[in-house]
Amino acid sequence: MRNIKLIIEYDGGRYDGWQRLGKEESKNTVENKIIEVLEKLTSTSVELFAGMRTEKGVHAHYQVANFKTDILLKPIEIRNYLNRYLPMDIAVVSVSDEHERFHSALNAKSKTFLYRIDVRDVYNVFDRKYTYYSFAKLDIDKMKKVAECFIGEHDFKAFSTAKKNKNTIKTVQSIDIYGDNEEISITVKANDYLHNMARLIIGALIEAGNGRVSAKDIEAMLKGDKELTILPAETNGMFLENIEY
């Protein structure tokens, strides 16, 4: 039995995320589109594992997935078949054989998200699907100060929209914020994420840039000493940027 690894990029704008289960189960997902083509290729049912389940509307420059199969096609033949039949907003960049114990989710050591913020005086109409537009000028220094609060191992229960989480302790390895007069980019790298955790961290950073959230507020939230309403960042500016193993 072969264990096939896929590197995938996609425009998540019209999909209900990588996967949507439970009460909000949907077939309009990136995962489902890929499985449909894989099952046509292999003539069997396919279980596809992903390095990170992205939310509705979130894009990916670098998603990793794997599945097991007995087909004898070469990796390049699998890649070409997938790209021939997949929608053009999903692309399989590479296909390779991995050792049998490789698991795209369980073996991941870190996952990085990129968030793009348009800060021009007038928003760029051609980038509007892939950037969040900020009407206010954001203070990057204030954002960086708040970002420091998230670094390290913390209980991120206050930064998740899920009601039930078995383990809310996660480690944020780095947050980088850089930009100019046209665009601000934020990258968040962590060992793992709770539901909407990355979007809530970025939402807090945007609020900090607007002067509405301070480092003391975030420290208190992480300790469970303070409740503060922070909205998740809008998904159109968010990209799954990398997964490391």
Side-chain angles (χ1 to χ4, degrees):
M1 182 73 73
R2 297 169 69 189
N3 191 10
I4 304 294
K5 175 184 174 182
L6 309 176
I7 304 298
I8 309 157
E9 60 183 19
Y10 50 85
D11 178 339
R14 72 184 182 97
Y15 296 106
D16 294 327
W18 171 264
Q19 181 186 71
R20 186 69 62 182
L21 300 175
K23 294 181 180 179
E24 299 180 4
E25 184 170 355
S26 170
K27 291 185 177 181
N28 183 36
T29 63
V30 178
E31 177 194 56
N32 192 61
K33 297 297 181 184
I34 297 172
I35 286 176
E36 285 178 352
V37 180
L38 284 174
E39 291 185 341
K40 182 179 178 182
L41 171 66
T42 63
S43 299
T44 61
S45 60
V46 171
E47 187 173 12
L48 188 64
F49 302 99
M52 182 72 201
R53 296 178 185 176
T54 53
E55 300 301 322
K56 181 177 180 178
V58 175
H59 316 294
H61 285 144
Y62 192 92
Q63 172 69 282
V64 182
N66 72 288
F67 69 98
K68 294 190 176 182
T69 182
D70 287 324
I71 60 171
L72 300 177
L73 293 175
K74 297 178 181 178
I76 193 171
E77 293 175 318
I78 298 173
R79 188 198 69 179
N80 291 346
Y81 185 94
L82 286 167
N83 288 329
R84 178 180 178 183
Y85 290 104
L86 281 169
M88 293 193 72
D89 50 10
I90 303 172
V92 176
V93 178
S94 69
V95 176
S96 60
D97 282 279
E98 279 288 342
H99 56 82
E100 62 179 10
R101 295 180 64 85
F102 173 79
H103 192 289
S104 55
L106 299 180
N107 295 151
K109 294 181 179 179
S110 70
K111 304 164 186 179
T112 302
F113 280 99
L114 164 69
Y115 199 77
R116 297 176 58 198
I117 305 172
D118 186 342
V119 292
R120 296 175 177 90
D121 291 334
V122 178
Y123 60 84
N124 186 307
V125 296
F126 300 106
D127 282 347
R128 72 191 189 282
K129 293 181 180 180
Y130 309 105
T131 57
Y132 163 73
Y133 182 71
S134 175
F135 287 92
K137 292 298 181 182
L138 302 177
D139 188 323
I140 292 181
D141 289 335
K142 289 181 178 179
M143 295 170 73
K144 288 181 176 180
K145 187 173 182 179
V146 165
E148 292 175 3
C149 301
F150 291 112
I151 304 301
E153 185 179 86
H154 300 284
D155 186 339
F156 284 93
K157 183 178 181 180
F159 291 88
S160 174
T161 54
K163 295 181 180 180
K164 295 181 180 179
N165 285 303
K166 292 183 179 179
N167 179 17
T168 55
I169 306 296
K170 304 297 177 185
T171 301
V172 173
Q173 298 164 346
S174 65
I175 298 178
D176 293 314
I177 305 170
Y178 47 94
D180 51 30
N181 292 328
E182 294 187 351
E183 184 175 313
I184 294 174
S185 295
I186 303 170
T187 57
V188 180
K189 180 179 179 180
N191 67 331
D192 200 5
Y193 299 87
L194 302 173
H195 188 263
N196 277 329
M197 175 178 147
R199 289 176 61 202
L200 282 162
I201 288 175
I202 293 166
L205 295 175
I206 293 172
E207 290 289 85
N210 285 324
R212 291 194 286 263
V213 169
S214 68
K216 287 184 178 180
D217 292 328
I218 299 304
E219 289 171 351
M221 290 179 69
L222 290 169
K223 292 177 182 178
D225 296 336
K226 184 173 186 176
E227 291 186 8
L228 193 65
T229 300
I230 293 175
L231 297 178
E234 294 182 15
T235 57
N236 56 308
M238 176 164 277
F239 297 78
L240 177 59
E241 191 70 4
N242 193 26
I243 302 176
E244 294 181 337
Y245 294 89

